[in-house]
């Protein structure tokens, strides 16, 4: 759910004005933007620019007097970011609004808890098959069409929910939630695109983080508001229905307003690009770039396969705990629906803090495997503590343990994405993060259904122990990942300024329109624990 993409989609290992990619096997690779190639050997990196600049500009660049392209920042970028963050928030709110008051919806629609669980699970089920068509649509049709599609489907789903407020219309609310889940597919992949297309190089990461945090904040509000708006009024179905209508109509009105704002505010891109990196991008991807081949390459990468499974286990466990939190709380603390929502809020807010802190730490230390493994292990310990203190009878203890669990579980999310980029470079970041998200959704579906069944048939302890066992498996898989920091190797060559201009007619080298980068390290492996 959380989306996945706190990173700027700018190829790494280049200066801010260049776009390139590399492979340590010494092969030429077409970059995702399609206009540059790199060949990386243990000692030297050869970069060749093709068709992106004129010969005169190329000669100027080789002489160290690069002609800058015109860039400009527009105030509209803040409006685009705010509107997107808000309708992403509403979509996340609609995901969790049923689960946090499961018992109330069970009574109103006269269905079992398993059927209410499916209203959360459908978000995960729909994401897996639609993520690749959604990515293709973003590449082919652009930002505006994709953004309006997400906002529009979110609005339609909210209004269909308003028509489902009758005890015999549970099928209608399932249909409405399915529409909202399709909208999510066209929302989660946009933060990095919005940031890179509209924001300058000094603010792009902050913009991307803000867009992603909008979705997390929506989940937090989804834990907090529904128990307040729809309190449990036993034996008064009409009053429950009236309260549900207020929540649904309020959501629909806000969604409609945000759709109108999206139509007004969103544009495909600004008149002038915000950065040199955007200025040199071609208008379309080359025919030679194969999205299918990129997927095949990733599935041939054994360390990445280990990360796919371990990431899916921990993130899927978080989805399951979030979905079933209400059921776990009211088993031991009857009538505490409002506090169950507050505990969920604590879980998510602590996780938002964990994401920021873990991201800053990783930027500072570059210890990808060590940090990922430690946070994974602490998530396992947090899950153990949460499991065996849930039934002590003290809500304050549950608040505390849920905060610890959320801090490390959600804090792991940016670590998993960044680690994935390192071990799969130079493959597209969007492709690797999309696969990580897809595996997280698959595990989320499986874990939610199994843990929900164990919780219903036995008790929350059985369901939580089930998750603890799987998270321990994830710790082992994470420890087995071979950490080769491919992207960091290239970045080290850049940051050490080992850049050497090559004349176009060098007597000692074959003619090229390139730059030689003296590699700081032949192969940089991260120290393992």
């Amino acid at each position: 759910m959380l989306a996945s993409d706190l990173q700027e989609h700018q190829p790494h290992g280049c200066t801010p004005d260049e776009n390139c990619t590399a492979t340590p096997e010494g092969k030429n690779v077409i970059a995702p933007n399609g206009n540059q190639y790199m060949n990386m050997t243990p000692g030297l990196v050869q970069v060749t620019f093709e068709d992106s600049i004129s010969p005169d500009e190329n000669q100027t660049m080789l002489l160290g007097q690069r002609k800058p392209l015109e860039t400009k920042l527009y105030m509209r970028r803040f409006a685009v970011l705010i509107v997107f963050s808000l309708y992403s928030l509403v979509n996340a709110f609609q995901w969790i609004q049923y689960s946090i008051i499961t018992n109330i919806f069970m009574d109103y629609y006269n269905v079992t808890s398993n059927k209410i669980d499916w209203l959360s699970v459908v978000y995960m089920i729909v994401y897996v098959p639609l993520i690749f068509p959604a990515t293709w649509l973003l590449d082919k049709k652009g930002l505006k069409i994709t953004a309006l599609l997400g906002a529009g489907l979110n609005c339609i789903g909210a209004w269909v929910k308003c028509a489902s407020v009758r005890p015999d219309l549970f099928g209608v609310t399932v249909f409405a939630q399915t529409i909202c889940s399709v909208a999510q597919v066209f929302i989660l992949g946009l933060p990095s695109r919005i940031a890179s297309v509209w924001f300058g190089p000094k603010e792009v990461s902050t913009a991307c983080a803000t867009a992603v945090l909008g979705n997390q904040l929506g989940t937090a509000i989804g834990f907090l508001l529904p128990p307040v708006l729809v309190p449990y009024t036993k034996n008064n179905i009409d009053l429950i229905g009236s309260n549900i209508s207020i929540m649904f109509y309020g959501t629909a009105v806000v969604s409609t307003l945000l759709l109108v704002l999206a139509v007004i505010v969103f544009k495909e891109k600004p008149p002038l690009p915000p950065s040199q990196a955007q200025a040199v991008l071609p208008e379309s991807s080359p025919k030679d770039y194969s999205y299918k081949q990129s997927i095949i390459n990733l599935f041939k990468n054994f360390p990445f396969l280990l990360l796919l499974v371990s990431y899916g286990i921990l993130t899927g466990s978080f989805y399951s705990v979030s979905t079933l939190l209400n059921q776990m709380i009211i088993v031991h603390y009857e009538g505490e629906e409002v506090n169950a929502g507050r505990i969920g809020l604590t879980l998510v807010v602590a996780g938002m803090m964990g994401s920021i802190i873990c991201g800053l730490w990783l930027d500072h230390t570059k210890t990808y495997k060590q940090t990922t493994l430690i946070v994974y292990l602490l998530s396992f310990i947090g899950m153990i503590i949460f499991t065996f203190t849930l039934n002590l009878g003290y809500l304050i203890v549950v608040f505390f343990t849920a905060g610890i669990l959320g801090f490390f579980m959600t804090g792991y999310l940016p670590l998993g994405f960044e680690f994935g980029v390192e071990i799969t470079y130079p493959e597209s970041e969007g492709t690797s993060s999309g696969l990580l998200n897809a595996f997280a959704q698959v595990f989320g579906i499986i874990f939610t259904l199994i843990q929900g069944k164990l919780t219903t048939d036995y008790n929350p302890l059985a369901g939580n122990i089930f998750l603890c066992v799987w998270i321990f498996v994830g710790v082992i898989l994470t420890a087995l990942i071979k950490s080769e920091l491919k992207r960091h190797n290239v970045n080290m060559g850049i940051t050490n300024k080992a850049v050497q201009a090559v004349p176009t007619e060098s007597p000692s080298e074959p003619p090229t329109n390139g730059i030689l980068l003296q590699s700081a390290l032949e192969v940089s492996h991260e120290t393992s624990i």
Side-chain angles (χ1 to χ4, degrees), residues 14 19-23 27-40 45-52 286-289 425-426 513-515 517:
C14 311
N19 293 276
C20 58
T21 186
T23 176
K27 297 179 181 178
N28 288 333
V29 178
I30 297 177
N33 61 25
N35 65 329
Q36 300 172 15
Y37 301 75
M38 175 181 282
N39 180 287
M40 182 175 180
V45 179
Q46 177 72 42
V47 183
T48 303
F49 298 93
E50 292 190 358
D51 300 329
S52 60
K287 295 180 180 179
D288 292 340
Y289 177 67
Y425 185 86
N513 294 326
I515 298 174
L517 307 179

Side-chain angles (χ1 to χ4, degrees), residues 327-338:
Q327 298 175 47
M328 289 189 280
I329 298 299
I330 63 173
V331 166
H332 300 295
Y333 306 91
E334 188 174 353
E336 295 288 355
E337 289 83 8
V338 174

